[in-house]
Amino acid sequence: MKSKISAGRIIIYVLITLGAIFMLLPFLWMISTSFKTQPEAIRIPPTWIPLHPTLNAYAEVWQKVPFPRYIYVSIITTVFTLLGVLITSILAAYAFSWFEFKGRETLFVSILSLMMIPIPVYVVPLFILVQRLGWIDTFYALIVPWSVNVFSIFLLRQHFRSVPRDLYDAAVIDGCSRFRFLFTILMPLTKPAIVTISIFSIIGSWNAFMWPLMVTNADRMRPIQVGLAYFAQGETTNYPALMAASTIAILPLVILFFVAQRQIVESYARSGLKE
Amino acid sequence: MKRYIAPFLLLLPALTLLLVFKVLPIIYAFRLSFYDWGIAGEKGFLGLGNYISLFKDPFFWQALINTFYYAIFTVPLNLIFSLTIAILLNRGIKAIGLYRTIYFLPVVTSIVAVSVVWKWLYDPNRGLFNFFLTSLGFSPLKWLEEPRGIFEMITGLRLPYILKGPSLALFSISLMSVWKSLGYNIIIFLAGLKNIPQVYYEAAKIDGASPFYSFRNVTLPLLSPTTFYVTIMTTIISFQVFAPIWTMTGPPPGGPLGTTSVIVYYLYQKGFEEYQVGYGSAIAFVFFLIILAITIFQKTYLEKKVYYEV
């Protein structure tokens, strides 16, 4: 009986390990190719560990293409979008959870219904609007329209509401203003939710593609994903350079993922639960 | 009156941005879809003209069929793999954290970078996948450059477009998407599985139920709210596929022979690249109606099968 159970367990481990190897394979192949020379990259049979590892591909990507500039544009966009999302959602969620006013629920439900409309539906008129504002090839176009996020307002409101009313009454007796209550009591108590919306915002901005592709014509205003996509279109067969560029484009988020792995996985798990 | 000022000020930044950059463009998109608006600017009211042209546009129908094919293959494959892996991981695996991390890794990486890497894997001459195939004695495939439908390739018959199945090129993108988003669904399924009380399994075991019987009569019904959520989300997301088409196919993107042109790509091409704003907006609205119809269909038919615990 016992040996039968362990045989079953071995099969489970074999299956999930094979799956895991397949999940990692594209990343390993990307990294391996990025350290090769072009002749070795297209050699058959392929080598897994480069015979003559070289950083040439990275140097090429760094010098020939304005990758440092792309990274700078992406960082600025990500940081300021995050700030915008935090400010707009914290304030709106506070109004929706701790203030009484007429039409509050109706307004909240109307805002929620906006989540049902996918971006491609209105992306062309949005582009025309941004163009008329003269924002093409500026950071405004990359940041401002995405500085508000309905899901973030929703998630924070749910968490703000769960904080007991007694805390507020006690704070008021101690002479605490409504603003101090938000910053010193409500926000520290709902830190996991604030971390969650920050993670979604960072990952979303860094990986955004369609919108930045539309609003940036000048090479110096391209975020990294758009820069990489154009680079890939031009250099279709320079595999080491393509893989080096891809490695650079995913590296910041992979580092973030390994640092804040538990928070990220839990954030995504939470996003799927009905509350 | 005074008590309205504070919430109004708090809501002001969010509401202004939503109004200007979301509500207005949505209304505008709806309005534009009834106008003749091309490169030369607005040329007048057309009524349903754009919608009628759309109905007669063979490229639109091709993009629509391709999108459905893409979703029909991506969604079930994703569900089957993610549920299987989640169930295996849920069986008291050691180092579950490590496995979860590995399966989740593609979710946080950029779709553009992933597309560039997979294009290299799919390369017909030097790619790793063809190297594996030829090493195992199979003939190499053209992957992203193969316009033939997969049913056509399997049966060897000449079939009409709608029966050909997705081209191997589109199917290759499907496979990559499954790999890319599997981890998200695994995490959601794992959370759902954790919510199933262990007592049900113990009761089933005492009654002598086989593992398959427990899976069929305990796991599946109790997991159905999660499965329902995952199905809707994965479907909606797969209808919006864009970046891999732009990055991996062509030139021009959408190739070979238009077999990877999907609805959001066609919308981008018409509304943005060709600046046929009115026509593009009509595509956008048909796209929205399709997503809405699918969501309503899934809510009315699939949700009946969902077992919500009382």
Side-chain angles (χ1 to χ4, degrees):
Chain A
M1 188 69 195
K2 196 143 197 193
S3 66
K4 200 179 166 192
I5 290 170
S6 60
R9 292 202 76 76
I10 289 169
I11 293 172
I12 292 178
Y13 276 104
V14 168
L15 286 176
I16 57 172
T17 307
L18 280 177
I21 291 171
F22 187 73
M23 295 309 279
L24 286 178
L25 193 108
F27 294 119
L28 299 176
W29 189 237
M30 171 187 80
I31 295 166
S32 168
T33 308
S34 74
F35 289 113
K36 288 177 182 173
T37 56
Q38 173 72 358
E40 195 186 342
I42 57 173
R43 214 182 79 128
I44 286 179
T47 48
W48 277 98
I49 294 163
L51 296 171
H52 311 287
T54 161
L55 286 170
N56 282 350
Y58 287 92
E60 192 185 341
V61 167
W62 207 253
Q63 285 156 6
K64 254 174 62 181
V65 196
F67 257 75
R69 174 69 196 181
Y70 297 156
I71 292 170
Y72 169 78
V73 173
S74 278
I75 290 174
I76 297 288
T77 307
T78 305
V79 168
F80 283 92
T81 310
L82 172 65
L83 281 176
V85 166
L86 284 177
I87 293 168
T88 55
S89 7
I90 287 171
L91 296 184
Y94 191 36
F96 278 129
S97 54
W98 285 78
F99 287 81
E100 303 285 339
F101 57 94
K102 215 176 144 194
R104 188 178 82 169
E105 298 311 304
T106 322
L107 184 62
F108 184 66
V109 172
S110 329
I111 289 180
L112 273 194
S113 68
L114 288 177
M115 267 205 295
M116 296 229 341
I117 301 173
I119 294 167
V121 171
Y122 59 92
V123 77
V124 172
L126 183 62
F127 168 78
I128 294 172
L129 174 73
V130 163
Q131 193 183 36
R132 291 204 173 156
L133 289 169
W135 284 3
I136 300 300
D137 284 330
T138 66
F139 278 113
Y140 297 116
L142 294 171
I143 295 164
V144 179
W146 314 109
S147 292
V148 64
N149 183 289
V150 177
F151 177 74
S152 303
I153 298 175
F154 168 75
L155 191 79
L156 265 190
R157 171 197 177 256
Q158 303 302 89
H159 282 80
F160 281 178
R161 266 155 65 110
S162 65
V163 173
R165 195 95 211 166
D166 303 356
L167 273 178
Y168 177 70
D169 298 335
V172 168
I173 292 170
D174 291 345
C176 177
S177 75
R178 289 199 108 158
F179 268 92
R180 266 194 49 206
F181 176 70
L182 171 64
F183 291 112
T184 57
I185 297 172
L186 221 45
M187 280 170 56
L189 282 176
T190 52
K191 216 169 135 194
I194 295 174
V195 170
T196 296
I197 63 171
S198 308
I199 285 169
F200 287 156
S201 171
I202 292 169
I203 294 176
S205 312
W206 189 269
N207 291 341
F209 178 63
M210 190 182 188
W211 178 253
L213 178 70
M214 291 169 79
V215 296
T216 54
N217 293 323
D219 206 30
R220 59 176 182 84
M221 282 314 292
R222 280 183 186 149
I224 187 149
Q225 309 306 338
V226 180
L228 171 64
Y230 275 111
F231 179 63
Q233 226 178 28
E235 298 271 345
T236 45
T237 53
N238 188 352
Y239 302 112
L242 284 172
M243 295 305 115
S246 301
T247 309
I248 295 170
I250 67 169
L251 199 62
L253 282 195
V254 170
I255 291 171
L256 176 78
F257 179 58
F258 283 115
V259 171
Q261 197 221 107
R262 258 192 58 193
Q263 284 89 334
I264 290 177
V265 173
E266 277 166 16
S267 296
Y268 276 90
R270 201 178 297 136
S271 77
L273 297 178
K274 283 188 181 153
E275 305 204 22
Chain B
M1 206 54 216
K2 209 181 139 203
R3 34 196 293 252
Y4 286 100
I5 293 172
F8 174 76
L9 289 176
L10 291 171
L11 285 170
L12 194 64
L15 288 188
T16 313
L17 287 172
L18 280 176
L19 200 68
V20 175
F21 296 106
K22 195 147 188 178
V23 178
L24 274 178
I26 290 167
I27 297 170
Y28 206 46
F30 187 58
R31 203 187 95 98
L32 280 173
S33 72
F34 299 105
Y35 281 82
D36 181 7
W37 184 327
I39 293 182
E42 198 189 305
K43 281 204 275 182
F45 187 71
L46 265 187
L48 288 174
N50 285 325
Y51 290 93
I52 293 166
S53 322
L54 201 56
F55 192 75
K56 292 180 189 155
D57 179 353
F59 296 109
F60 171 71
W61 285 106
Q62 188 185 27
L64 206 59
I65 294 170
N66 291 342
T67 312
F68 273 95
Y69 266 136
Y70 177 79
I72 287 167
F73 281 86
T74 309
V75 177
L77 281 176
N78 195 331
L79 287 177
I80 293 166
F81 280 120
S82 56
L83 183 58
T84 310
I85 294 163
I87 286 171
L88 293 178
L89 287 179
N90 198 40
R91 302 197 62 171
I93 291 296
K94 288 203 181 86
I96 182 174
L98 177 69
Y99 283 107
R100 216 174 50 166
T101 305
I102 293 173
Y103 282 105
F104 197 77
L105 191 59
V107 177
V108 296
T109 54
S110 97
I111 182 70
V112 176
V114 158
S115 300
V116 173
V117 173
W118 276 69
K119 194 180 177 185
W120 167 219
L121 292 169
Y122 279 137
D123 191 279
N125 303 316
R126 308 285 176 180
L128 198 59
F129 288 161
N130 268 351
F131 171 70
F132 288 153
L133 280 183
T134 46
S135 310
L136 293 169
F138 295 102
S139 45
L141 294 168
K142 280 160 74 191
W143 300 108
L144 293 165
E145 291 166 23
E146 176 61 80
R148 283 186 298 159
I150 57 169
F151 297 151
E152 201 177 32
M153 289 174 74
I154 294 167
T155 60
L157 300 170
R158 294 189 125 254
L159 297 166
Y161 198 84
I162 198 141
L163 296 176
K164 277 179 177 180
S167 65
L168 181 62
L170 188 63
F171 187 68
S172 304
I173 297 174
S174 256
L175 287 182
M176 181 196 76
S177 301
V178 172
W179 172 87
K180 166 97 169 71
S181 51
L182 199 59
Y184 174 72
N185 289 351
I186 291 176
I187 297 297
I188 306 283
F189 273 132
L190 272 175
L193 287 168
K194 289 243 152 55
N195 283 335
I196 299 177
Q198 213 51 43
V199 282
Y200 290 122
Y201 290 110
E202 280 153 22
K205 213 172 183 180
I206 290 167
D207 290 345
S210 68
F212 179 75
Y213 186 90
S214 309
F215 171 74
R216 178 78 190 71
N217 294 294
V218 179
T219 311
L220 276 188
L222 289 175
L223 196 64
S224 56
T226 310
T227 314
F228 177 64
Y229 170 83
V230 167
T231 311
I232 289 200
M233 290 309 287
T234 314
T235 310
I236 292 177
I237 292 168
S238 66
F239 264 83
Q240 297 183 48
V241 58
F242 173 78
I245 311 294
W246 200 95
T247 319
M248 295 173 91
T249 68
L257 302 178
T259 59
T260 61
S261 170
V262 289
I263 190 155
V264 173
Y265 180 72
Y266 194 56
L267 159 76
Y268 170 86
Q269 200 181 12
K270 286 285 156 186
F272 175 72
E273 281 184 341
E274 295 176 18
Y275 215 71
Q276 307 264 10
V277 178
Y279 198 64
S281 297
I283 302 174
F285 257 81
V286 173
F287 165 70
F288 176 58
L289 288 180
I290 291 170
I291 293 223
L292 197 67
I294 289 169
T295 313
I296 292 169
F297 172 81
Q298 289 179 331
K299 279 223 170 248
T300 39
Y301 290 96
L302 281 187
E303 203 165 27
K304 274 190 195 151
K305 297 191 175 142
V306 171
Y307 177 86
Y308 288 112
E309 217 178 342
V310 255

